[in-house]
Amino acid sequence: MRAPRLRVGVFADGENPVQLLAELREAGHDVTEVHNPALIGDVELVVIAVADARLPETVERLALHSHRGQMFLHTSLVHGIQVMDPLETEGAIVMAAHPLGEDRWVAAATDELGETIVGLLVGELGGQVVEVADAQRRQLAAALSYAGFLRTVHQDAVRFVDSFLGDIEVSADIVNRSLGRSPQVPALPTLIDQYESIEDPGRKRLFRDLARRQAEVSGTQDVELWAIQKEDR
């Protein structure tokens, strides 16, 4: 049996991309945007989708107008469930859910009822809950940003190669093929020669930093020492 359809209010400031408005509508819920905390009284579930820095004060404002048994869910990855304490004190059911990808969500709740509800909601959106301790959320957010930087490096690598080949499709193919090979740090003399040949200061700096990280991972101590010395200059 499908879970009951809810009257959902999305309280968003436009700075949090995870608003769930369209997704919950597609799942059949009655979803509206709410801009005034005083107007949440008739809403069964309030989704709080605001910038991380604004979440604590937003929770406090909403708590002034919440009622016992009302459900609240925030979509921040950085904040855990404790940020919802002002709402829980008023008798609300509090939850948190943030998508990591197409089918994995970090979710949390303070009690079994909340865990059941957030699990059903995530399931309706085609996701599966993974548990992450509140103390690890910021590090996980950093890890995802770290992964996101790879896209910038990838695109810049394609442009770098293309500056010599003049064929963006061929350059992209070469870079993509290089990603499929096991990463290896060139011998130090070769690496230094490559480093010195780079004209763009930003690429040169990043080349050094990436070489150092690769050396740290692979245990190539001479390259790591060289990169550290370059950083100190």
Side-chain angles (χ1 to χ4, degrees):
M1 179 182 295
R2 189 170 73 159
R5 302 302 86 192
L6 300 172
R7 295 190 304 279
V8 181
V10 176
F11 191 89
D13 63 359
E15 296 188 28
N16 186 330
V18 186
Q19 298 183 13
L20 305 186
L21 193 149
E23 293 88 342
L24 289 170
R25 276 181 180 163
E26 188 174 343
H29 297 285
D30 179 10
V31 186
T32 58
E33 294 184 68
V34 179
H35 303 287
N36 185 344
L39 301 180
I40 65 170
D42 293 332
V43 174
E44 295 170 298
L45 168 65
V46 179
V47 175
I48 311 171
V50 298
D52 293 333
R54 290 202 185 111
L55 183 56
E57 65 175 281
T58 301
V59 167
E60 291 181 358
R61 289 170 59 203
L62 291 170
L64 297 174
H65 304 280
S66 67
H67 58 76
R68 180 168 296 277
Q70 195 171 21
M71 296 175 284
F72 290 81
L73 180 147
H74 81 69
T75 62
S76 169
L77 175 57
V78 170
H79 290 281
I81 199 64
Q82 281 77 16
V83 73
M84 305 287 269
D85 283 351
L87 285 162
E88 186 182 20
T89 300
E90 297 299 323
I93 301 167
V94 296
M95 302 162 285
H98 181 92
L100 298 179
E102 293 184 359
D103 60 354
R104 292 293 187 276
W105 291 64
V106 173
T110 57
D111 54 30
E112 187 174 343
L113 177 58
E115 289 175 357
T116 300
I117 294 170
V118 75
L120 288 171
L121 288 170
V122 168
E124 285 186 340
L125 301 179
Q128 180 178 336
V129 171
V130 294
E131 295 184 6
V132 176
D134 279 4
Q136 296 179 317
R137 280 175 166 263
R138 290 182 183 275
Q139 292 184 63
L140 174 57
L144 294 177
S145 293
Y146 189 79
F149 297 152
L150 295 176
R151 182 175 179 84
T152 298
V153 174
H154 177 271
Q155 292 174 337
D156 193 48
V158 171
R159 289 193 295 268
F160 195 7
V161 172
D162 191 53
S163 65
F164 306 103
L165 302 185
D167 188 322
I168 194 68
E169 291 185 3
V170 171
S171 298
D173 183 61
I174 290 171
V175 171
N176 290 336
R177 287 178 182 274
S178 72
L179 294 177
R181 297 194 294 267
S182 298
Q184 293 182 343
V185 180
L188 184 56
T190 300
L191 187 73
I192 293 174
D193 186 57
Q194 293 175 358
Y195 172 80
E196 296 296 344
S197 75
I198 301 174
E199 297 178 354
D200 182 278
R203 284 178 179 151
K204 195 168 189 174
R205 181 178 61 252
L206 183 57
F207 184 94
R208 177 204 65 203
D209 293 342
L210 292 175
R212 177 180 177 180
R213 181 56 182 157
Q214 182 62 43
E216 289 172 343
V217 172
S218 62
T220 312
Q221 294 181 349
D222 59 341
V223 172
E224 182 180 356
L225 180 59
W226 166 80
I228 291 173
Q229 292 172 337
K230 282 295 182 182
E231 289 176 359
D232 292 337
R233 291 182 182 177

